[in-house]
């Protein structure tokens, strides 16, 4: 089932997600619905807070991004290792490497894209959908998508990295999103 994506301004987007166990109600269905939702909205990642669940769960699929690389992208990111993966109860162990800017957007903040600086590498400890624990390093575009989704489970948004001036410049757009004055190709849940 395609779930509505929570819009900017909804309080669930600012909550720190709670850890879950394998007994979380209908977890398999929630994960399947999140995959359906992210593909329906042409996203590359989706966190549970974006579908109104304040839990530490997110999904990432960078395969489509890497398969769509043009020649310049292949030169810039020659060793990109795409993933399609579920992350449960993720905890950041480390972020290292050069800081680099990349134009990011978010399904919860439609029609807003900004250059965001992040480190090139992240190391995470997390569980997969079978609750097997992993500790793994991610790099490049895949690390960036993971960092973006990880921020969601910590109650952060990509716009939090913007300067005060940039935030002022997009304030009207953000106000329009939170008041439901935005058109998207996917269902949204707006703050009341």
């Amino acid at each position: 089932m395609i779930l509505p994506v929570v819009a900017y301004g909804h309080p669930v987007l600012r909550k720190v997600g709670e850890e879950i166990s394998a007994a979380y109600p209908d977890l398999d269905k929630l994960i399947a619905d999140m995959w359906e939702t992210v593909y329906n909205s042409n996203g590359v990642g989706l966190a549970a807070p974006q579908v109104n669940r304040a839990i530490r769960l997110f999904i990432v699929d960078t395969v489509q991004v890497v398969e769509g690389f043009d020649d310049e992208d292949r030169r810039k990111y020659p060793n990109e290792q795409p993933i399609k993966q579920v992350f449960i109860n993720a905890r950041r162990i480390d972020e290292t490497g050069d800081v680099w800017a990349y134009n990011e957007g978010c399904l919860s903040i439609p029609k807003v894209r900004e250059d965001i600086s992040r480190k090139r590498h992240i190391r995470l400890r997390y569980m997969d959908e079978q609750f097997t624990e992993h500790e793994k390093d991610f790099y490049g575009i895949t690390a960036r998508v993971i960092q973006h989704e990880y921020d969601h489970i910590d109650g952060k948004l990509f716009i939090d990295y913007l300067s005060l001036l940039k935030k002022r410049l997009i304030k009207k757009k953000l106000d329009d999103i939170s008041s439901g004055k935005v058109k998207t190709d996917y269902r949204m849940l707006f703050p009341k």
Side-chain angles (χ1 to χ4, degrees):
M1 176 174 68
I2 297 169
L3 304 170
V5 175
V6 172
Y8 172 80
H10 195 291
V12 73
L13 293 176
R14 293 303 188 174
K15 289 184 179 173
V16 174
E18 294 183 20
E19 290 199 356
I20 61 172
S21 72
Y24 187 84
D26 299 316
L27 181 60
D28 289 341
K29 179 169 178 11
L30 174 59
I31 292 169
D33 290 348
M34 287 176 67
W35 282 120
E36 191 174 353
T37 301
V38 79
Y39 293 137
N40 177 70
S41 54
N42 294 312
V44 294
L46 188 68
Q50 292 180 276
V51 292
N52 207 16
R53 310 281 195 310
I55 59 174
R56 298 189 75 77
L57 163 66
F58 63 89
I59 60 172
V60 170
D61 184 350
T62 56
V63 174
Q64 59 189 324
V65 174
V66 174
E67 286 176 352
F69 272 3
D70 60 20
D71 290 340
E72 183 181 344
D73 289 334
R74 278 190 278 283
R75 278 193 304 279
K76 278 179 158 172
Y77 316 108
N79 301 314
E80 190 66 37
Q81 297 296 312
I83 62 166
K84 178 181 177 183
Q85 206 162 316
V86 174
F87 294 83
I88 298 172
N89 299 336
R91 295 291 174 182
R92 177 178 32 232
I93 296 170
D94 198 14
E95 284 181 325
T96 59
D98 299 338
V99 174
W100 59 298
Y102 191 83
N103 196 257
E104 290 188 27
C106 180
L107 297 175
S108 293
I109 310 174
K111 316 255 192 265
V112 174
R113 296 194 66 84
E114 294 291 337
D115 287 341
I116 303 299
S117 293
R118 297 185 188 270
K119 293 191 176 177
R120 225 172 255 286
H121 161 256
I122 186 169
R123 183 173 189 80
L124 282 186
R125 181 175 298 120
Y126 64 94
M127 294 179 183
D128 60 27
E129 57 268 50
Q130 283 79 44
F131 281 79
T132 302
E133 190 170 322
H134 302 269
E135 188 170 308
K136 194 169 174 186
D137 295 288
F138 301 93
Y139 300 88
I141 301 289
T142 296
R144 176 169 294 273
V145 175
I146 289 170
Q147 288 163 325
H148 179 108
E149 300 308 330
Y150 185 91
D151 279 350
H152 276 299
I153 65 171
D154 269 355
K156 285 183 78 173
L157 301 170
F158 83 97
I159 58 172
D160 296 344
Y161 293 95
L162 298 176
S163 69
L164 286 175
L165 175 62
K166 284 271 193 186
K167 286 180 186 174
R168 274 192 221 117
L169 291 172
I170 64 169
K171 184 179 181 335
K172 171 86 168 83
K173 286 182 182 179
L174 296 176
D175 290 344
D176 285 349
I177 292 166
S178 61
S179 63
K181 297 178 190 166
V182 65
K183 290 189 191 281
T184 61
D185 294 337
Y186 50 92
R187 286 181 31 220
M188 294 199 78
L189 174 64
F190 297 97
K192 302 221 186 261

